[in-house]
Every structure is written in structure tokens, then in C-alpha cells.
Amino acid sequence: MKKAFTMLELVFVIVVVGILSYMVASSFTRNPLREAADQVVSHIRYTQHLAMMDDKFNVNDATWYQERWQIVFNSDANTYNQWAYTIFSDGNKNANPNLTLNEVALNPLDPAKYLTGGYTGIIFSDGVGATQEMNLGMKYGVSTITFNAACQFGGSQRISFDYLGRPLKGVPSGFGAIYQRNRMITAQCQITLTDVSGNAIIIAIEPETGYTHIL
């Protein structure tokens, strides 16, 4: 006798396939906040890499450590009041990035662009040379960025690294010595990204090692 599927079996298979398809599609649903966090983690690690490869030591400059590589988060007119960030070494020690002094890092994926999402006085988020996805507000809908007490210093939301990759807080140009105890990050630094709907994700930077990950 020839075997065949019954109508009920066919309907059952179709339903199961539909459910599986929905689950697979859901797993690939875009999560802008997670994408933003993944990007920031990658760029913090890159900042640490730059600091370890290029520590700015200069035997003829007693304050060479003030030029250390850092990542700074900002929201101002040049970012259209959206949260963005920039990776730079402070060559003129004025706490701000400067394109003319080549302080801002080049984008390794596109050397025609700088690793900045916009910063007052140097470049707009949508200007020539800006890496637009580094404007987290415009690209991913991030509405606020906050640092916890472990890495907050003087209201500045930035992290720098020494030649061993150890994370430091505050503005490097304000350092009065190679190391200041109150500038070392000694507890887990948490950077919270929040979107317009109130959803949040936390990026953690571990003390001493500078290991950066998402909680």
C-alpha cells in the first residue's frame, strides 16, 4: 500500500516550520543598543592598544604622560547635541582633540577618516573625515551616556591608558605626575548607554588589566 502524508501531518509540519522560521528571524532582529555597545567596546580596546604601542614617552619632555591616548565622550553643537566620542592623544596638552596637530587617531578601516563622531571646534558629526557611526545618538539612538563613580573624575567622561594598558580616569593633561593614585581606576568602571526608550546596556572596564566587556 502506498504511504502518503495526511492533511493533518502536512499542516503540523507547516506550523512547526513557521515557528522555527520566526524564532530564527527573531534572533537576527537588529538591536541598535547592543550594536552601539559592541562598537564602543571595540574602540576602547583599540584605544588601549594605541596606548601600549605608542606610550608618548619623551626623555626631553617632563610631562610627556599628559599626551597619553584616550577616548572621550561628548555631546555638543558639533555632534548636533547627540552623544558621540573621539579617540586621540593630546599633543598640545589642552584636554581637547585637534585635527591640525594630527592628535585624532585615523580610522584603520578607512584612513581617509578620523576616529571621531564630532567634537566642538574640530569637526561636525557629518563632516568630511568624521566617522559618522561614532555619533551614537544619530546612528544608534543612544540618548545618554553615564560613568559610574569608579571612573568619573571632575565631570570628565573619558578613559586613558598607560603603556601597560592600565585604565586611568580624568583628563590626562591635568596629571601632575606619571601616576597619581586618585587617577588610577581601582574598581570596575561602568559606562551605561541608554536609548530613547529607556533601555540600557552596561560596558565594564576592569581595573589594572583594562579588560573591556559588556555586562
Side-chain angles (χ1 to χ4, degrees):
M1 182 177 177
K2 188 174 182 180
K3 294 183 178 180
F5 291 107
T6 66
M7 182 61 70
L8 182 61
E9 289 173 326
L10 287 173
V11 170
F12 179 78
V13 170
I14 291 172
V15 170
V16 171
V17 170
I19 293 173
L20 291 175
S21 298
Y22 174 79
M23 293 175 65
V24 170
S26 297
S27 67
F28 287 99
T29 300
R30 182 172 179 267
N31 184 339
L33 194 59
R34 177 64 192 231
E35 289 180 19
D38 286 339
Q39 177 182 294
V40 172
V41 166
S42 176
H43 279 146
I44 291 175
R45 290 174 178 172
Y46 185 61
T47 305
Q48 183 185 39
H49 166 77
L50 289 174
M52 295 171 71
M53 296 297 101
D54 179 25
D55 65 4
K56 299 301 177 182
F57 175 73
N58 183 349
V59 69
N60 297 313
D61 182 0
T63 58
W64 58 270
Y65 50 83
Q66 295 180 356
E67 298 182 25
R68 284 179 172 139
W69 285 98
Q70 58 192 286
I71 180 169
V72 57
F73 296 83
N74 63 293
S75 174
D76 52 49
N78 280 44
T79 67
Y80 300 102
N81 298 312
Q82 302 288 324
W83 279 99
Y85 62 99
T86 300
I87 297 172
F88 74 107
S89 63
D90 194 6
N92 60 2
K93 306 174 187 176
N94 71 345
N96 299 310
N98 191 314
L99 292 181
T100 59
L101 295 179
N102 297 319
E103 292 182 349
V104 181
L106 291 176
N107 188 333
L109 300 179
D110 185 355
K113 295 182 178 181
Y114 293 97
L115 286 180
T116 178
Y119 200 94
T120 293
I122 62 165
I123 195 171
F124 280 92
S125 292
D126 55 359
V128 176
T131 299
Q132 295 185 11
E133 58 265 33
M134 292 176 70
N135 185 315
L136 300 178
M138 296 177 69
K139 177 68 176 181
Y140 303 107
V142 173
S143 59
T144 59
I145 298 176
T146 56
F147 280 38
N148 70 346
C151 47
Q152 180 71 258
F153 189 91
S156 177
Q157 297 199 148
R158 68 180 73 200
I159 301 293
S160 59
F161 295 91
D162 68 7
Y163 75 103
L164 291 176
R166 292 177 292 194
L168 309 168
K169 58 187 175 181
V171 182
S173 60
F175 278 46
I178 296 177
Y179 292 108
Q180 290 180 216
R181 194 172 189 83
N182 65 339
R183 296 299 190 93
M184 301 290 290
I185 291 178
T186 56
Q188 188 183 75
C189 169
Q190 295 185 359
I191 303 173
T192 302
L193 309 184
T194 306
D195 65 16
V196 292
S197 299
N199 300 308
I201 192 167
I202 299 175
I203 297 168
I205 304 175
E206 301 297 337
E208 195 63 30
T209 64
Y211 173 64
T212 305
H213 58 100
I214 295 172
L215 292 180

